[in-house]
Structure formats: structure tokens, C-alpha cells
Amino acid sequence: MFNLSRVRVSALAAGVLAASLTAACAAPGQSEDTGSGGSGPIKIALVDAQSGQLSSLGKWEHKGAKLAVDEWNKAGGINGRKIQLDVFDDQGDPTVGTNIARKIASQKYIAMLGTAESAVTIAMAPILRQFEIPNIASGQSPGMVALKSPYLFLNGPTSTTYDETLAKYIADTKKMKKIALITNNGAYGKGEHDAFVKALESRSIKPVADEVVTIDQKDFSAQLTKIRQQRPEVIFLGAEEVESGLIVKQARDLGITAPFAGAAPQGTPVFLDTAGAKNAEGTIVSSPYLSNDISEDAKKFAAAYKAAFNEEAEMHGAKAYDGTQIMLTAMKNSNVATGKKLADAIRAVKHPGLLGDFAFDETGVGIKETTIGIMKDGVLVKAEG
């Protein structure tokens, strides 16, 4: 006997199954609502440490990215669609980062900004590549480039650029030859160590001391005592903001007077506050963004940042602002494409940013130049000569 109700149920089940199969077969990182042709908000994930020792980086990055997104939304978004920036706390932990990578893939975010922590970015990259989610990150470890992911882009130079510029100033310009190193064993510290040692080797310089510490170490007296015995002219520092500040403070307590030299972390307010302005005096810093006064665009950015968050801007906020501008420009140029099309659109963007003129090569690096600054009276100023 013909059963109409059974036919209706079967038809409904078939429709549900068809919808499920359609969703399952959608391109990675793409959905009808968030990708090209959608009408809902454009979903971008910002992943950075919002808690823990590296939280200052994440909070600066969040503010820089939010400032850019708010500007675009105020101007109408992209094709009339609002940009939705959601923040995820990776706690500076690679394992947490990989879990977040899976989460943002399942929740159909079409792009990611961050992280500022090289080790976390490296851990997340294979998952983001699998789901074709383009990522503009702020770390500087050459290990990110070594992954050769077509979906990973850097919104600043790698350690190779930072440290070649530093070696050129210390060894070539200032003629310093007695150079000691103290770096940590994390992805950032190892990248800094290897890049600076390579720059010294090209100048036939061997460090008088080469000390490695752990990323969570608090007492550096043993390593600093060994360095003091060698009477170096300068000490290269490869560690994040807080640890770097502690190292400098303890070095001064041990009577070490040689200047320290390093990259981006040594130019931040957290480093300065941790070390103390007097202890940090004379620190040599290699950076693509020395201060908020380096250009008219930097002054405009700093004023907007101050108005929005009631605090002074610094390099990590500027990096995130640049990276977000590049990401949103690529989305606009590609009509909110996803996956490989969005990655190709990012690579095609030529952006006059706060850190310099961005032009991405096949490695995903867009900036290859830094400037030397010297810490004087608690302010980073451009080095002379």
C-alpha cells in the first residue's frame, strides 16, 4: 500500500543528507556565509598569547589588528560586508595553538592573523596548510620560512635580516670583535642564535662566549659569570622581552657593563620596564620600526592607536596593523576569495606599510630591511654612522 507520509519522511532525509554532503565537500576554509559570494560577516581569527609571559605581544597585536579592522568597518567593510575579528588565546603554547588551528578550521574562519610566537606559528602551520587557511604571522624565526607553506606569510623580516644588520653595525661599523652570546633554546632564541652566528662566521669572528638558557629560566648568574670572565665588548641577546630584561638586570647586578645587542624584543616597553631604563642604556637594537616618529604614516598610526586604546603604540602593534591591512586589501582585491586564491591575492599585494614597503616573495617574506637604534634615556633613537 502506498504510504505518502513515508515518502515525505524519505524525501526530507534525502534533503538533509544532500545538504550534509554539500557542506562536507565545501572547499577548506570556505562556507556560503563567510567566503566569496556570502552575505554574512567575513570571519578572521587573530591567534596570540592573551595570557602568560608573552601576553604583552598578543595584546599589542590584537590592538593593532583591531584598529585596522575598525577603520575598514567604519568605511563600509568589504563589498558592504562587515569584518569579524575574533581573538583566540594560544597562551604561548604550541599544543594550545594546534588545537586552536583545528577549531578555526571547523568554524570556517577564512584567514588568520598571528601568532607573534614563532614556535606556536610553526606548530599551527601544517593544519592551516591542510585546510588552506592563509596566515599572516609576526614571528621572525627562519624556521617558519623553512616550512615552505604557500599559506604562511611574515609581516616582518626574519632573524637573518635582523642579525645581519646588527652584525654589520657591531663588527663592521663599530669594529667590535669580542662578542658574547646569550640566547634561549626556544624557536625564537635558536633562530636568533643561528642567524647571528652565521653573520659572525662570514666575518671570521668567533664568539668569546656562547651561553644557552631555557625559555622559563629566571636565574642567569651561572651563564653571566662565564660571560663576565671573557670581558666582551658587546653581548648579543636572543630571548623574548621579559627574559631579556631579566638577563640585562642581572648582568648589571654582576658588574657587567658591556652593552647588549638584539632584535625586536629589546626595543619594547616590556623589555625596558623589566630591565630598568638605567640598565638598558646603550642597548643596540635592530628593528624595522624604531619609533612612532619614523614617518608621517607612523605618527598618524600612533595618534589613532593612542586615541583608541589610551596607550603608546609600538612595533608589534604596527606589525599587526600592517599585516591586517595587507590581509583586508587581498580580500577586497579577490572579492573575498578563500584558500589558494586568497593566498595568491596576499602574495600579489604591494603595500607601503609602517615597517616598510611590503612585496612578498615565494618564501612568504615581505620585508627584508631593518634599521639600528640605540636605547638612550629610555627611548630608542636611530644610531648615527
Side-chain angles (χ1 to χ4, degrees):
M1 183 177 181
F2 185 76
N3 190 325
L4 181 60
S5 62
R6 181 175 295 176
V7 171
R8 287 172 177 167
V9 170
S10 298
L12 177 61
V16 171
L17 177 60
S20 299
L21 288 173
T22 300
C25 295
Q30 182 177 3
S31 72
E32 181 182 350
D33 195 45
T34 62
S36 179
S39 58
I42 301 165
K43 294 174 63 175
I44 302 174
L46 183 139
V47 183
D48 264 312
Q50 301 297 310
S51 60
Q53 184 169 300
L54 300 177
S55 61
S56 58
L57 302 181
K59 291 174 181 176
W60 287 327
E61 292 235 323
H62 177 210
K63 290 168 184 171
K66 185 177 186 303
L67 183 62
V69 167
D70 287 348
E71 289 174 356
W72 277 70
N73 280 337
K74 186 177 180 180
I78 300 175
N79 297 342
R81 297 169 62 186
K82 290 295 182 182
I83 301 142
Q84 178 180 322
L85 181 70
D86 293 331
V87 184
F88 296 83
D89 180 9
D90 63 41
Q91 303 171 37
D93 186 327
T95 301
V96 175
T98 56
N99 291 333
I100 291 173
R102 295 186 184 95
K103 185 174 183 179
I104 65 177
S106 67
Q107 294 183 359
K108 303 302 180 184
Y109 287 87
I110 66 171
M112 175 182 141
L113 299 167
T115 71
E117 315 101 35
S118 299
V120 179
T121 299
I122 290 169
M124 296 180 71
I127 299 170
L128 298 178
R129 181 173 186 167
Q130 176 188 351
F131 288 97
E132 299 181 6
I133 300 175
N135 173 206
I136 298 183
S138 296
Q140 62 192 61
S141 170
M144 293 190 291
V145 174
L147 294 173
K148 297 182 179 180
S149 171
Y151 297 94
L152 179 58
F153 302 86
L154 278 63
N155 61 9
T158 67
S159 295
T160 301
T161 297
Y162 279 96
D163 296 337
E164 173 58 30
T165 302
L166 202 57
K168 184 180 295 184
Y169 178 78
I170 291 170
D172 301 348
T173 302
K174 293 301 181 180
K175 308 300 182 184
M176 296 178 177
K177 305 300 180 184
K178 293 187 66 177
I179 304 170
L181 281 68
I182 181 166
T183 59
N184 71 30
N185 62 357
Y188 171 75
K190 188 177 186 306
E192 284 293 290
H193 173 277
D194 293 351
F196 192 66
V197 167
K198 184 177 180 180
L200 292 183
E201 286 177 346
S202 70
R203 294 166 170 81
S204 300
I205 296 174
K206 183 177 181 180
V208 296
D210 187 352
E211 297 294 322
V212 178
V213 300
T214 63
I215 57 175
D216 56 356
Q217 194 167 325
K218 298 294 187 294
D219 182 355
F220 310 96
S221 56
Q223 290 83 11
L224 289 171
T225 297
K226 292 179 182 178
I227 288 174
R228 183 179 62 185
Q229 292 170 349
Q230 300 303 319
R231 300 177 182 270
E233 297 173 276
V234 63
I235 304 169
F236 175 80
L237 186 54
E240 290 81 359
E241 284 79 356
V242 173
E243 188 169 47
S244 292
L246 291 174
I247 289 171
V248 171
K249 185 176 186 302
Q250 291 179 31
R252 300 305 183 225
D253 290 342
L254 286 171
I256 297 173
T257 59
F260 281 83
Q266 287 74 51
T268 64
V270 170
F271 165 76
L272 188 65
D273 291 344
T274 306
K278 183 179 179 181
N279 294 328
E281 184 75 7
T283 298
I284 304 164
V285 181
S286 175
S287 174
Y289 189 89
L290 293 180
S291 76
N292 297 323
D293 297 321
I294 59 173
S295 67
E296 289 304 314
D297 285 342
K299 291 177 182 178
K300 182 180 177 181
F301 160 73
Y305 191 100
K306 177 77 171 181
F309 309 113
N310 195 31
E311 66 181 48
E312 299 299 325
E314 53 66 69
M315 191 197 70
H316 290 88
K319 287 177 78 173
Y321 183 86
D322 274 349
T324 307
Q325 293 286 358
I326 292 167
M327 180 71 78
L328 299 181
T329 299
M331 288 180 174
K332 180 180 179 181
N333 292 347
S334 65
N335 192 28
V336 197
T338 60
K340 185 178 183 300
K341 288 184 179 179
L342 178 55
D344 290 343
I346 292 170
R347 190 170 286 104
V349 170
K350 302 294 186 289
H351 178 66
L354 299 171
L355 274 68
D357 293 330
F358 283 84
F360 291 102
D361 60 19
E362 70 282 356
T363 71
V365 177
I367 291 284
K368 296 183 179 180
E369 184 176 350
T370 63
T371 303
I372 294 295
I374 307 293
M375 193 69 73
K376 293 184 178 180
D377 298 322
V379 178
L380 194 60
V381 298
K382 187 175 181 178
E384 297 178 359

